Amino acid sequence: MTMRMLIDARHREETRVAVVKGNRIEEFDFESAERKQLKGNIYLAKVTRVEPSLQAAFVDYGGNRHGFLAFSEIHPDYYQIPKEDRDALLREEAEHAAEEAKLRAEQEAAEEADEPSEEDIERFEDDGGMDPDVAEDMDGEARPARSTVNDDQVEALRQRRMNLRRRYKIQDVIHRRQVLLVQVVKEERGNKGAALTTYLSLAGRYCVLMPNTSHGGGISRKISNTGDRKRLKSIMAELKLPPSMGCIVRTAGLQRTKTEIKRDFDYLARLWDGIREQTLASSAPALIYGDSD
């Protein structure tokens, strides 16, 4: 089904953008000269209320309304639990993340093995289009006979990693007046406050840096070519990210060199250092970093 992006910029004071799949609107957003953009901004915020029934917290970050912070969006670093318990939780999550990354690597390797080589293509053509490695289903669609690692395995592992935190309840580990560093992921809408997360992301020209996400280096899923993914993965491996930091190459980095990608990563790393320094010198609520529109 065709996916389109529709942009209405007829009026200087407001620009509207809609992502449409077929006849259905998938996403809608707008920028207004009268409305200050919040999405992407990073704030030092203070918890004003913990709501056990929602398993969420409401925080004062300096916006028009208190922001909404779901328990799943709170990093374990903020849990008010003994250090040994927090270290054990983070260690378990890191082990699960490493296993998930290994599964994905196996999946990509299997997909790479399924791609026909130039010799296979020549043999296929010489044989009149018959290839023993390709089976046809009932509808006549060709599919590889080799199997790959199932996406369900990766998703199940990710869910297991997320479920590690469900041994805790928000009311037991997060408290009123607690200070958190949060980022806006969804703008204020009507009577609803902005949706927040403590899992920060900084978008550059070619990379997205996730300073407190232990997923290592990755490649945008929109980059599907195996050769491109392999080249970009080798570049990411040379960055030698710390275990507590993640970075993803955006689609804009597809044709970029190792030097260009590393330069963008270094810029984001310096930006994160500046955010940390600004955080230590600030008192909640305070704007720490304003994302570009």
Side-chain angles (χ1 to χ4, degrees), residues 38-43 73 181-185 196-204 207-213 245-248 250 268-269 271-272 275 289-292:
L38 301 178
K39 189 176 180 180
N41 290 358
I42 296 175
Y43 297 87
E73 296 295 335
L181 193 62
V182 300
Q183 186 170 34
V184 177
V185 293
L196 309 174
T197 183
T198 63
Y199 289 92
L200 311 178
S201 62
L202 301 172
C207 302
V208 176
L209 180 66
M210 299 170 292
N212 60 347
T213 302
M245 184 177 288
C247 186
I248 294 176
R250 307 175 69 176
L268 293 174
L271 179 61
W272 172 236
I275 288 172
Y289 167 73
D291 197 18
S292 60

Side-chain angles (χ1 to χ4, degrees), residues 95-118:
E95 290 171 356
H96 279 264
E99 192 174 347
E100 181 182 336
K102 182 181 177 182
L103 270 177
R104 290 194 182 279
E106 291 175 357
Q107 185 179 42
E108 290 187 359
E111 289 172 354
E112 183 179 354
D114 279 339
E115 288 193 356
S117 65
E118 292 183 4

Side-chain angles (χ1 to χ4, degrees), residues 201-244:
S201 62
L202 301 172
R205 297 179 69 183
Y206 312 127
C207 302
V208 176
L209 180 66
M210 299 170 292
N212 60 347
T213 302
S214 57
H215 292 167
I219 313 297
S220 169
R221 293 186 180 182
K222 293 181 180 179
I223 300 176
S224 57
N225 181 273
T226 306
D228 290 332
R229 294 185 66 86
K230 191 173 182 180
R231 178 181 67 85
L232 292 172
K233 276 189 173 292
S234 66
I235 293 175
M236 295 302 293
E238 292 181 20
L239 295 179
K240 297 180 180 178
L241 294 167
S244 61

Side-chain angles (χ1 to χ4, degrees), residues 38-39 41 46 67 79 97 111 120 123 142 146 154 156 165 174 187 204 206 211 215 219 239 280 285:
L38 301 178
K39 189 176 180 180
N41 290 358
K46 184 179 293 186
Y79 291 6
E111 289 172 354
D120 291 333
R123 187 169 64 251
R146 299 185 185 95
V154 178
R165 302 178 202 174
I174 299 297
E187 297 276 0
Y206 312 127
H215 292 167
I219 313 297
L239 295 179
L280 293 174

